Amino acid sequence: MQHTEERTFVAVKPDGVQRGLVGEVIRRFEQKGYKVIGLKMLQVTDAQAKAHYAEHEGKPFYPRLIRYIQSGPIVAMVVQGYNAIAGVRHLMGSTDPDKAEVGTIRADFAQVMEYNIVHGSDSKESAEREIKIYFEESELYPERKCMSELVIESLDAE
Ligand code: UDP
Ligand code: MG
């Protein structure tokens, strides 16, 4: 079977940050085994908001979406793992929390589509594009080590 490691852009949106759900959202991705290889809290600028949601420009919900994503700080991250783009979307659940499967982030923590806690890229192209909006390559740490490697290295160094 072929599995490819992918990177995807994830954000805890302002409502998730305000409600104290940052840890809960990250926990779910880490529990799955994905690696968080980049992480920061930031206020989304006008340029970042427009670039991020360019595909939705002109839609009725667009102005409100831009206001929402800038209504407070977000926690932006890059998540890496096997088939992580679709996998993260699966853990997030459908855009509308009422239609999201129970057990997903949006079903468990959100009530309405306009405040649905979390963002995740929907394709390889979106992931690459969105990561660049929020992160420099130098801000990513893909080579994190597991505990056994750390222990072996530290013992070897003694
Ligand atoms: N959104 C909304 N009303 C809609 C559709 C979308 O407020 O009718 C918001 C919602 O926050 C959603 C975001 O716009 O997460 C981006 O929409 P998209 O269709 O890309 O959904 P997602 O990829 O986030 O599931
Ligand atoms: Mg989308």
PDB file of all heavy atoms in Angstrom, residues 13 52-53 55-56 59-62 64-66 68-69 89 92-96 106 112-122 130, ligand 1:
ATOM      1  N   LYS A  13      -9.711  28.857  14.863  1.00  0.00           N
ATOM      2  CA  LYS A  13     -10.260  30.172  14.512  1.00  0.00           C
ATOM      3  C   LYS A  13     -10.529  30.983  15.791  1.00  0.00           C
ATOM      4  O   LYS A  13     -10.508  30.429  16.906  1.00  0.00           O
ATOM      5  CB  LYS A  13     -11.529  29.967  13.699  1.00  0.00           C
ATOM      6  CG  LYS A  13     -11.277  29.353  12.301  1.00  0.00           C
ATOM      7  CD  LYS A  13     -12.617  29.070  11.631  1.00  0.00           C
ATOM      8  CE  LYS A  13     -12.455  28.642  10.189  1.00  0.00           C
ATOM      9  NZ  LYS A  13     -13.779  28.353   9.565  1.00  0.00           N
ATOM     10  N   HIS A  52      -6.116  34.034   2.132  1.00  0.00           N
ATOM     11  CA  HIS A  52      -6.602  32.747   2.663  1.00  0.00           C
ATOM     12  C   HIS A  52      -7.936  32.361   2.032  1.00  0.00           C
ATOM     13  O   HIS A  52      -8.138  31.231   1.604  1.00  0.00           O
ATOM     14  CB  HIS A  52      -6.730  32.875   4.192  1.00  0.00           C
ATOM     15  CG  HIS A  52      -7.141  31.629   4.895  1.00  0.00           C
ATOM     16  ND1 HIS A  52      -6.961  31.460   6.238  1.00  0.00           N
ATOM     17  CD2 HIS A  52      -7.739  30.493   4.458  1.00  0.00           C
ATOM     18  CE1 HIS A  52      -7.422  30.264   6.598  1.00  0.00           C
ATOM     19  NE2 HIS A  52      -7.903  29.664   5.532  1.00  0.00           N
ATOM     20  N   TYR A  53      -8.873  33.321   1.976  1.00  0.00           N
ATOM     21  CA  TYR A  53     -10.228  33.005   1.532  1.00  0.00           C
ATOM     22  C   TYR A  53     -10.542  33.526   0.125  1.00  0.00           C
ATOM     23  O   TYR A  53     -11.720  33.743  -0.195  1.00  0.00           O
ATOM     24  CB  TYR A  53     -11.235  33.514   2.564  1.00  0.00           C
ATOM     25  CG  TYR A  53     -11.264  32.658   3.828  1.00  0.00           C
ATOM     26  CD1 TYR A  53     -11.005  33.203   5.088  1.00  0.00           C
ATOM     27  CD2 TYR A  53     -11.547  31.288   3.760  1.00  0.00           C
ATOM     28  CE1 TYR A  53     -11.037  32.407   6.239  1.00  0.00           C
ATOM     29  CE2 TYR A  53     -11.577  30.491   4.902  1.00  0.00           C
ATOM     30  CZ  TYR A  53     -11.322  31.062   6.133  1.00  0.00           C
ATOM     31  OH  TYR A  53     -11.360  30.265   7.265  1.00  0.00           O
ATOM     32  N   GLU A  55     -10.838  32.102  -2.638  1.00  0.00           N
ATOM     33  CA  GLU A  55     -11.807  31.285  -3.402  1.00  0.00           C
ATOM     34  C   GLU A  55     -13.259  31.647  -3.075  1.00  0.00           C
ATOM     35  O   GLU A  55     -14.172  31.324  -3.838  1.00  0.00           O
ATOM     36  CB  GLU A  55     -11.585  29.790  -3.127  1.00  0.00           C
ATOM     37  CG  GLU A  55     -11.889  29.426  -1.696  1.00  0.00           C
ATOM     38  CD  GLU A  55     -11.777  27.922  -1.365  1.00  0.00           C
ATOM     39  OE1 GLU A  55     -12.422  27.120  -2.042  1.00  0.00           O
ATOM     40  OE2 GLU A  55     -11.035  27.599  -0.417  1.00  0.00           O
ATOM     41  N   HIS A  56     -13.479  32.301  -1.943  1.00  0.00           N
ATOM     42  CA  HIS A  56     -14.849  32.610  -1.527  1.00  0.00           C
ATOM     43  C   HIS A  56     -15.255  34.056  -1.832  1.00  0.00           C
ATOM     44  O   HIS A  56     -16.386  34.453  -1.538  1.00  0.00           O
ATOM     45  CB  HIS A  56     -15.025  32.340  -0.029  1.00  0.00           C
ATOM     46  CG  HIS A  56     -14.880  30.896   0.330  1.00  0.00           C
ATOM     47  ND1 HIS A  56     -15.619  29.906  -0.264  1.00  0.00           N
ATOM     48  CD2 HIS A  56     -14.061  30.268   1.228  1.00  0.00           C
ATOM     49  CE1 HIS A  56     -15.276  28.723   0.247  1.00  0.00           C
ATOM     50  NE2 HIS A  56     -14.324  28.918   1.135  1.00  0.00           N
ATOM     51  N   LYS A  59     -18.960  35.615  -2.631  1.00  0.00           N
ATOM     52  CA  LYS A  59     -20.074  34.828  -2.077  1.00  0.00           C
ATOM     53  C   LYS A  59     -20.763  35.626  -0.966  1.00  0.00           C
ATOM     54  O   LYS A  59     -20.138  36.481  -0.335  1.00  0.00           O
ATOM     55  CB  LYS A  59     -19.563  33.487  -1.527  1.00  0.00           C
ATOM     56  CG  LYS A  59     -19.015  32.574  -2.623  1.00  0.00           C
ATOM     57  CD  LYS A  59     -18.565  31.236  -2.069  1.00  0.00           C
ATOM     58  CE  LYS A  59     -17.887  30.434  -3.173  1.00  0.00           C
ATOM     59  NZ  LYS A  59     -17.180  29.254  -2.665  1.00  0.00           N
ATOM     60  N   PRO A  60     -22.050  35.349  -0.717  1.00  0.00           N
ATOM     61  CA  PRO A  60     -22.789  36.151   0.278  1.00  0.00           C
ATOM     62  C   PRO A  60     -22.139  36.145   1.663  1.00  0.00           C
ATOM     63  O   PRO A  60     -22.190  37.141   2.384  1.00  0.00           O
ATOM     64  CB  PRO A  60     -24.160  35.467   0.340  1.00  0.00           C
ATOM     65  CG  PRO A  60     -24.247  34.591  -0.862  1.00  0.00           C
ATOM     66  CD  PRO A  60     -22.869  34.325  -1.365  1.00  0.00           C
ATOM     67  N   PHE A  61     -21.528  35.033   2.043  1.00  0.00           N
ATOM     68  CA  PHE A  61     -20.978  34.957   3.399  1.00  0.00           C
ATOM     69  C   PHE A  61     -19.555  35.520   3.508  1.00  0.00           C
ATOM     70  O   PHE A  61     -18.989  35.594   4.597  1.00  0.00           O
ATOM     71  CB  PHE A  61     -21.006  33.504   3.914  1.00  0.00           C
ATOM     72  CG  PHE A  61     -20.161  32.523   3.127  1.00  0.00           C
ATOM     73  CD1 PHE A  61     -18.813  32.362   3.404  1.00  0.00           C
ATOM     74  CD2 PHE A  61     -20.729  31.766   2.108  1.00  0.00           C
ATOM     75  CE1 PHE A  61     -18.034  31.460   2.686  1.00  0.00           C
ATOM     76  CE2 PHE A  61     -19.960  30.858   1.386  1.00  0.00           C
ATOM     77  CZ  PHE A  61     -18.609  30.704   1.667  1.00  0.00           C
ATOM     78  N   TYR A  62     -18.977  35.940   2.371  1.00  0.00           N
ATOM     79  CA  TYR A  62     -17.562  36.361   2.357  1.00  0.00           C
ATOM     80  C   TYR A  62     -17.244  37.521   3.318  1.00  0.00           C
ATOM     81  O   TYR A  62     -16.302  37.405   4.112  1.00  0.00           O
ATOM     82  CB  TYR A  62     -17.133  36.683   0.916  1.00  0.00           C
ATOM     83  CG  TYR A  62     -15.734  37.208   0.783  1.00  0.00           C
ATOM     84  CD1 TYR A  62     -14.631  36.346   0.839  1.00  0.00           C
ATOM     85  CD2 TYR A  62     -15.492  38.574   0.614  1.00  0.00           C
ATOM     86  CE1 TYR A  62     -13.343  36.832   0.714  1.00  0.00           C
ATOM     87  CE2 TYR A  62     -14.208  39.060   0.488  1.00  0.00           C
ATOM     88  CZ  TYR A  62     -13.136  38.200   0.536  1.00  0.00           C
ATOM     89  OH  TYR A  62     -11.860  38.683   0.415  1.00  0.00           O
ATOM     90  N   ARG A  64     -18.657  38.527   6.015  1.00  0.00           N
ATOM     91  CA  ARG A  64     -18.737  38.089   7.397  1.00  0.00           C
ATOM     92  C   ARG A  64     -17.598  37.133   7.751  1.00  0.00           C
ATOM     93  O   ARG A  64     -17.064  37.154   8.849  1.00  0.00           O
ATOM     94  CB  ARG A  64     -20.085  37.404   7.634  1.00  0.00           C
ATOM     95  CG  ARG A  64     -20.553  37.528   9.070  1.00  0.00           C
ATOM     96  CD  ARG A  64     -21.983  37.096   9.230  1.00  0.00           C
ATOM     97  NE  ARG A  64     -22.245  35.903   8.421  1.00  0.00           N
ATOM     98  CZ  ARG A  64     -23.452  35.405   8.191  1.00  0.00           C
ATOM     99  NH1 ARG A  64     -24.501  35.989   8.687  1.00  0.00           N
ATOM    100  NH2 ARG A  64     -23.602  34.324   7.460  1.00  0.00           N
ATOM    101  N   LEU A  65     -17.209  36.305   6.779  1.00  0.00           N
ATOM    102  CA  LEU A  65     -16.103  35.361   6.987  1.00  0.00           C
ATOM    103  C   LEU A  65     -14.792  36.113   7.243  1.00  0.00           C
ATOM    104  O   LEU A  65     -14.018  35.757   8.146  1.00  0.00           O
ATOM    105  CB  LEU A  65     -15.979  34.457   5.752  1.00  0.00           C
ATOM    106  CG  LEU A  65     -14.804  33.495   5.691  1.00  0.00           C
ATOM    107  CD1 LEU A  65     -14.800  32.526   6.878  1.00  0.00           C
ATOM    108  CD2 LEU A  65     -14.842  32.697   4.372  1.00  0.00           C
ATOM    109  N   ILE A  66     -14.576  37.179   6.475  1.00  0.00           N
ATOM    110  CA  ILE A  66     -13.352  37.983   6.638  1.00  0.00           C
ATOM    111  C   ILE A  66     -13.348  38.656   8.016  1.00  0.00           C
ATOM    112  O   ILE A  66     -12.331  38.696   8.704  1.00  0.00           O
ATOM    113  CB  ILE A  66     -13.225  39.025   5.490  1.00  0.00           C
ATOM    114  CG1 ILE A  66     -13.038  38.307   4.136  1.00  0.00           C
ATOM    115  CG2 ILE A  66     -12.106  40.024   5.755  1.00  0.00           C
ATOM    116  CD1 ILE A  66     -11.747  37.519   3.994  1.00  0.00           C
ATOM    117  N   TYR A  68     -14.936  37.578  10.669  1.00  0.00           N
ATOM    118  CA  TYR A  68     -14.818  36.484  11.653  1.00  0.00           C
ATOM    119  C   TYR A  68     -13.357  36.078  11.847  1.00  0.00           C
ATOM    120  O   TYR A  68     -12.868  36.021  12.988  1.00  0.00           O
ATOM    121  CB  TYR A  68     -15.668  35.308  11.160  1.00  0.00           C
ATOM    122  CG  TYR A  68     -15.448  33.951  11.791  1.00  0.00           C
ATOM    123  CD1 TYR A  68     -15.251  33.786  13.169  1.00  0.00           C
ATOM    124  CD2 TYR A  68     -15.490  32.805  10.996  1.00  0.00           C
ATOM    125  CE1 TYR A  68     -15.086  32.516  13.718  1.00  0.00           C
ATOM    126  CE2 TYR A  68     -15.335  31.540  11.535  1.00  0.00           C
ATOM    127  CZ  TYR A  68     -15.120  31.399  12.896  1.00  0.00           C
ATOM    128  OH  TYR A  68     -14.966  30.138  13.431  1.00  0.00           O
ATOM    129  N   ILE A  69     -12.644  35.860  10.755  1.00  0.00           N
ATOM    130  CA  ILE A  69     -11.278  35.327  10.883  1.00  0.00           C
ATOM    131  C   ILE A  69     -10.338  36.373  11.489  1.00  0.00           C
ATOM    132  O   ILE A  69      -9.281  36.039  12.019  1.00  0.00           O
ATOM    133  CB  ILE A  69     -10.747  34.789   9.520  1.00  0.00           C
ATOM    134  CG1 ILE A  69      -9.627  33.759   9.718  1.00  0.00           C
ATOM    135  CG2 ILE A  69     -10.309  35.918   8.592  1.00  0.00           C
ATOM    136  CD1 ILE A  69     -10.033  32.480  10.391  1.00  0.00           C
ATOM    137  N   ARG A  89      -9.279  16.912   7.777  1.00  0.00           N
ATOM    138  CA  ARG A  89     -10.658  17.306   7.442  1.00  0.00           C
ATOM    139  C   ARG A  89     -11.659  16.318   8.060  1.00  0.00           C
ATOM    140  O   ARG A  89     -12.745  16.693   8.497  1.00  0.00           O
ATOM    141  CB  ARG A  89     -10.852  17.340   5.916  1.00  0.00           C
ATOM    142  CG  ARG A  89      -9.944  18.312   5.187  1.00  0.00           C
ATOM    143  CD  ARG A  89     -10.511  19.680   5.010  1.00  0.00           C
ATOM    144  NE  ARG A  89     -11.740  19.734   4.279  1.00  0.00           N
ATOM    145  CZ  ARG A  89     -12.390  20.885   4.064  1.00  0.00           C
ATOM    146  NH1 ARG A  89     -11.902  22.034   4.533  1.00  0.00           N
ATOM    147  NH2 ARG A  89     -13.509  20.902   3.391  1.00  0.00           N
ATOM    148  N   MET A  92     -11.995  17.108  11.648  1.00  0.00           N
ATOM    149  CA  MET A  92     -12.706  18.384  11.826  1.00  0.00           C
ATOM    150  C   MET A  92     -14.209  18.234  11.673  1.00  0.00           C
ATOM    151  O   MET A  92     -14.988  18.889  12.345  1.00  0.00           O
ATOM    152  CB  MET A  92     -12.248  19.394  10.760  1.00  0.00           C
ATOM    153  CG  MET A  92     -10.927  20.047  11.032  1.00  0.00           C
ATOM    154  SD  MET A  92     -10.282  20.921   9.574  1.00  0.00           S
ATOM    155  CE  MET A  92     -11.721  21.628   8.830  1.00  0.00           C
ATOM    156  N   GLY A  93     -14.625  17.393  10.711  1.00  0.00           N
ATOM    157  CA  GLY A  93     -16.051  17.250  10.405  1.00  0.00           C
ATOM    158  C   GLY A  93     -16.528  18.250   9.367  1.00  0.00           C
ATOM    159  O   GLY A  93     -15.802  19.172   8.991  1.00  0.00           O
ATOM    160  N   SER A  94     -17.761  18.069   8.919  1.00  0.00           N
ATOM    161  CA  SER A  94     -18.326  18.924   7.861  1.00  0.00           C
ATOM    162  C   SER A  94     -18.362  20.386   8.289  1.00  0.00           C
ATOM    163  O   SER A  94     -18.455  20.688   9.482  1.00  0.00           O
ATOM    164  CB  SER A  94     -19.755  18.490   7.530  1.00  0.00           C
ATOM    165  OG  SER A  94     -19.757  17.179   7.070  1.00  0.00           O
ATOM    166  N   THR A  95     -18.380  21.260   7.286  1.00  0.00           N
ATOM    167  CA  THR A  95     -18.395  22.711   7.516  1.00  0.00           C
ATOM    168  C   THR A  95     -19.534  23.107   8.457  1.00  0.00           C
ATOM    169  O   THR A  95     -19.351  23.920   9.357  1.00  0.00           O
ATOM    170  CB  THR A  95     -18.570  23.440   6.158  1.00  0.00           C
ATOM    171  OG1 THR A  95     -17.612  22.922   5.236  1.00  0.00           O
ATOM    172  CG2 THR A  95     -18.382  24.931   6.327  1.00  0.00           C
ATOM    173  N   ASP A  96     -20.704  22.520   8.230  1.00  0.00           N
ATOM    174  CA  ASP A  96     -21.872  22.814   9.066  1.00  0.00           C
ATOM    175  C   ASP A  96     -21.895  21.838  10.250  1.00  0.00           C
ATOM    176  O   ASP A  96     -22.074  20.633  10.066  1.00  0.00           O
ATOM    177  CB  ASP A  96     -23.140  22.646   8.211  1.00  0.00           C
ATOM    178  CG  ASP A  96     -24.401  22.974   8.983  1.00  0.00           C
ATOM    179  OD1 ASP A  96     -24.334  23.092  10.227  1.00  0.00           O
ATOM    180  OD2 ASP A  96     -25.455  23.103   8.347  1.00  0.00           O
ATOM    181  N   ARG A 106     -16.032  19.798  14.915  1.00  0.00           N
ATOM    182  CA  ARG A 106     -17.138  20.732  14.677  1.00  0.00           C
ATOM    183  C   ARG A 106     -18.448  20.223  15.274  1.00  0.00           C
ATOM    184  O   ARG A 106     -19.244  21.009  15.815  1.00  0.00           O
ATOM    185  CB  ARG A 106     -17.257  21.000  13.183  1.00  0.00           C
ATOM    186  CG  ARG A 106     -16.148  21.936  12.693  1.00  0.00           C
ATOM    187  CD  ARG A 106     -16.022  21.924  11.190  1.00  0.00           C
ATOM    188  NE  ARG A 106     -15.222  23.043  10.690  1.00  0.00           N
ATOM    189  CZ  ARG A 106     -14.887  23.179   9.409  1.00  0.00           C
ATOM    190  NH1 ARG A 106     -15.267  22.292   8.513  1.00  0.00           N
ATOM    191  NH2 ARG A 106     -14.163  24.218   9.017  1.00  0.00           N
ATOM    192  N   VAL A 112     -23.054  26.437  14.892  1.00  0.00           N
ATOM    193  CA  VAL A 112     -23.405  27.040  13.593  1.00  0.00           C
ATOM    194  C   VAL A 112     -22.176  27.147  12.697  1.00  0.00           C
ATOM    195  O   VAL A 112     -21.041  27.263  13.176  1.00  0.00           O
ATOM    196  CB  VAL A 112     -24.050  28.440  13.767  1.00  0.00           C
ATOM    197  CG1 VAL A 112     -25.404  28.335  14.464  1.00  0.00           C
ATOM    198  CG2 VAL A 112     -23.128  29.387  14.517  1.00  0.00           C
ATOM    199  N   MET A 113     -22.434  27.120  11.396  1.00  0.00           N
ATOM    200  CA  MET A 113     -21.393  27.117  10.373  1.00  0.00           C
ATOM    201  C   MET A 113     -20.500  28.356  10.442  1.00  0.00           C
ATOM    202  O   MET A 113     -19.318  28.300  10.144  1.00  0.00           O
ATOM    203  CB  MET A 113     -22.111  27.054   9.019  1.00  0.00           C
ATOM    204  CG  MET A 113     -21.243  26.993   7.838  1.00  0.00           C
ATOM    205  SD  MET A 113     -22.073  26.137   6.502  1.00  0.00           S
ATOM    206  CE  MET A 113     -23.549  27.091   6.240  1.00  0.00           C
ATOM    207  N   GLU A 114     -21.118  29.489  10.842  1.00  0.00           N
ATOM    208  CA  GLU A 114     -20.365  30.754  10.848  1.00  0.00           C
ATOM    209  C   GLU A 114     -19.305  30.778  11.944  1.00  0.00           C
ATOM    210  O   GLU A 114     -18.390  31.599  11.899  1.00  0.00           O
ATOM    211  CB  GLU A 114     -21.335  31.941  11.048  1.00  0.00           C
ATOM    212  CG  GLU A 114     -22.234  32.211   9.861  1.00  0.00           C
ATOM    213  CD  GLU A 114     -23.437  31.249   9.797  1.00  0.00           C
ATOM    214  OE1 GLU A 114     -23.617  30.425  10.714  1.00  0.00           O
ATOM    215  OE2 GLU A 114     -24.191  31.340   8.812  1.00  0.00           O
ATOM    216  N   TYR A 115     -19.468  29.920  12.952  1.00  0.00           N
ATOM    217  CA  TYR A 115     -18.490  29.851  14.035  1.00  0.00           C
ATOM    218  C   TYR A 115     -18.156  28.379  14.260  1.00  0.00           C
ATOM    219  O   TYR A 115     -18.689  27.742  15.170  1.00  0.00           O
ATOM    220  CB  TYR A 115     -19.052  30.491  15.320  1.00  0.00           C
ATOM    221  CG  TYR A 115     -19.310  31.965  15.147  1.00  0.00           C
ATOM    222  CD1 TYR A 115     -20.573  32.433  14.805  1.00  0.00           C
ATOM    223  CD2 TYR A 115     -18.267  32.879  15.270  1.00  0.00           C
ATOM    224  CE1 TYR A 115     -20.806  33.782  14.595  1.00  0.00           C
ATOM    225  CE2 TYR A 115     -18.484  34.229  15.078  1.00  0.00           C
ATOM    226  CZ  TYR A 115     -19.754  34.673  14.733  1.00  0.00           C
ATOM    227  OH  TYR A 115     -19.968  36.003  14.527  1.00  0.00           O
ATOM    228  N   ASN A 116     -17.284  27.881  13.388  1.00  0.00           N
ATOM    229  CA  ASN A 116     -17.067  26.429  13.400  1.00  0.00           C
ATOM    230  C   ASN A 116     -15.661  26.020  13.840  1.00  0.00           C
ATOM    231  O   ASN A 116     -15.156  24.970  13.478  1.00  0.00           O
ATOM    232  CB  ASN A 116     -17.458  25.810  12.050  1.00  0.00           C
ATOM    233  CG  ASN A 116     -16.666  26.387  10.897  1.00  0.00           C
ATOM    234  OD1 ASN A 116     -15.769  27.204  11.104  1.00  0.00           O
ATOM    235  ND2 ASN A 116     -16.965  25.953   9.695  1.00  0.00           N
ATOM    236  N   ILE A 117     -15.015  26.896  14.636  1.00  0.00           N
ATOM    237  CA  ILE A 117     -13.847  26.541  15.457  1.00  0.00           C
ATOM    238  C   ILE A 117     -12.526  26.345  14.735  1.00  0.00           C
ATOM    239  O   ILE A 117     -11.480  26.770  15.209  1.00  0.00           O
ATOM    240  CB  ILE A 117     -14.111  25.227  16.281  1.00  0.00           C
ATOM    241  CG1 ILE A 117     -15.352  25.356  17.128  1.00  0.00           C
ATOM    242  CG2 ILE A 117     -12.912  24.808  17.103  1.00  0.00           C
ATOM    243  CD1 ILE A 117     -15.163  26.209  18.374  1.00  0.00           C
ATOM    244  N   VAL A 118     -12.588  25.665  13.585  1.00  0.00           N
ATOM    245  CA  VAL A 118     -11.330  25.171  13.043  1.00  0.00           C
ATOM    246  C   VAL A 118     -11.302  25.271  11.523  1.00  0.00           C
ATOM    247  O   VAL A 118     -12.357  25.210  10.871  1.00  0.00           O
ATOM    248  CB  VAL A 118     -11.108  23.722  13.557  1.00  0.00           C
ATOM    249  CG1 VAL A 118     -12.062  22.745  12.924  1.00  0.00           C
ATOM    250  CG2 VAL A 118      -9.693  23.249  13.399  1.00  0.00           C
ATOM    251  N   HIS A 119     -10.092  25.481  10.993  1.00  0.00           N
ATOM    252  CA  HIS A 119      -9.875  25.461   9.540  1.00  0.00           C
ATOM    253  C   HIS A 119      -8.865  24.379   9.193  1.00  0.00           C
ATOM    254  O   HIS A 119      -7.909  24.161   9.933  1.00  0.00           O
ATOM    255  CB  HIS A 119      -9.328  26.809   9.059  1.00  0.00           C
ATOM    256  CG  HIS A 119      -8.840  26.744   7.632  1.00  0.00           C
ATOM    257  ND1 HIS A 119      -9.679  26.889   6.555  1.00  0.00           N
ATOM    258  CD2 HIS A 119      -7.610  26.466   7.115  1.00  0.00           C
ATOM    259  CE1 HIS A 119      -8.980  26.722   5.436  1.00  0.00           C
ATOM    260  NE2 HIS A 119      -7.716  26.476   5.746  1.00  0.00           N
ATOM    261  N   GLY A 120      -9.056  23.734   8.051  1.00  0.00           N
ATOM    262  CA  GLY A 120      -8.053  22.798   7.524  1.00  0.00           C
ATOM    263  C   GLY A 120      -8.058  22.861   6.007  1.00  0.00           C
ATOM    264  O   GLY A 120      -9.130  22.954   5.396  1.00  0.00           O
ATOM    265  N   SER A 121      -6.872  22.809   5.405  1.00  0.00           N
ATOM    266  CA  SER A 121      -6.771  22.887   3.943  1.00  0.00           C
ATOM    267  C   SER A 121      -7.545  21.740   3.294  1.00  0.00           C
ATOM    268  O   SER A 121      -7.609  20.641   3.846  1.00  0.00           O
ATOM    269  CB  SER A 121      -5.308  22.795   3.496  1.00  0.00           C
ATOM    270  OG  SER A 121      -4.517  23.714   4.196  1.00  0.00           O
ATOM    271  N   ASP A 122      -8.089  22.007   2.085  1.00  0.00           N
ATOM    272  CA  ASP A 122      -8.930  20.978   1.444  1.00  0.00           C
ATOM    273  C   ASP A 122      -8.254  20.219   0.312  1.00  0.00           C
ATOM    274  O   ASP A 122      -8.865  19.337  -0.284  1.00  0.00           O
ATOM    275  CB  ASP A 122     -10.247  21.604   0.961  1.00  0.00           C
ATOM    276  CG  ASP A 122     -10.044  22.642  -0.132  1.00  0.00           C
ATOM    277  OD1 ASP A 122      -8.900  22.817  -0.606  1.00  0.00           O
ATOM    278  OD2 ASP A 122     -11.046  23.277  -0.517  1.00  0.00           O
ATOM    279  N   GLU A 130      -1.748  27.889   1.476  1.00  0.00           N
ATOM    280  CA  GLU A 130      -2.123  28.430   2.784  1.00  0.00           C
ATOM    281  C   GLU A 130      -0.942  28.422   3.762  1.00  0.00           C
ATOM    282  O   GLU A 130      -0.781  29.364   4.539  1.00  0.00           O
ATOM    283  CB  GLU A 130      -3.315  27.637   3.346  1.00  0.00           C
ATOM    284  CG  GLU A 130      -4.592  27.889   2.555  1.00  0.00           C
ATOM    285  CD  GLU A 130      -5.734  26.942   2.900  1.00  0.00           C
ATOM    286  OE1 GLU A 130      -5.590  26.103   3.810  1.00  0.00           O
ATOM    287  OE2 GLU A 130      -6.787  27.037   2.233  1.00  0.00           O
TER     288      GLU A 130
HETATM  289  N1  UDP B   1     -18.891  29.700   5.830  1.00  0.00           N
HETATM  290  C1  UDP B   1     -20.012  30.385   6.247  1.00  0.00           C
HETATM  291  N2  UDP B   1     -21.191  30.212   5.562  1.00  0.00           N
HETATM  292  C2  UDP B   1     -21.303  29.370   4.493  1.00  0.00           C
HETATM  293  C3  UDP B   1     -20.155  28.667   4.076  1.00  0.00           C
HETATM  294  C4  UDP B   1     -18.972  28.857   4.765  1.00  0.00           C
HETATM  295  O1  UDP B   1     -19.956  31.154   7.204  1.00  0.00           O
HETATM  296  O2  UDP B   1     -22.396  29.247   3.915  1.00  0.00           O
HETATM  297  C5  UDP B   1     -17.619  29.909   6.530  1.00  0.00           C
HETATM  298  C6  UDP B   1     -17.290  28.794   7.512  1.00  0.00           C
HETATM  299  O3  UDP B   1     -16.623  29.376   8.635  1.00  0.00           O
HETATM  300  C7  UDP B   1     -16.338  27.931   6.715  1.00  0.00           C
HETATM  301  C8  UDP B   1     -15.586  28.983   5.909  1.00  0.00           C
HETATM  302  O4  UDP B   1     -16.563  29.952   5.585  1.00  0.00           O
HETATM  303  O5  UDP B   1     -15.497  27.159   7.554  1.00  0.00           O
HETATM  304  C9  UDP B   1     -14.953  28.471   4.631  1.00  0.00           C
HETATM  305  O6  UDP B   1     -15.924  27.779   3.868  1.00  0.00           O
HETATM  306  P1  UDP B   1     -15.597  26.390   3.177  1.00  0.00           P
HETATM  307  O7  UDP B   1     -16.735  26.064   2.271  1.00  0.00           O
HETATM  308  O8  UDP B   1     -14.231  26.471   2.561  1.00  0.00           O
HETATM  309  O9  UDP B   1     -15.634  25.359   4.393  1.00  0.00           O
HETATM  310  P2  UDP B   1     -14.458  24.574   5.145  1.00  0.00           P
HETATM  311  O10 UDP B   1     -13.402  24.261   4.119  1.00  0.00           O
HETATM  312  O11 UDP B   1     -13.955  25.486   6.235  1.00  0.00           O
HETATM  313  O12 UDP B   1     -15.122  23.359   5.693  1.00  0.00           O
END
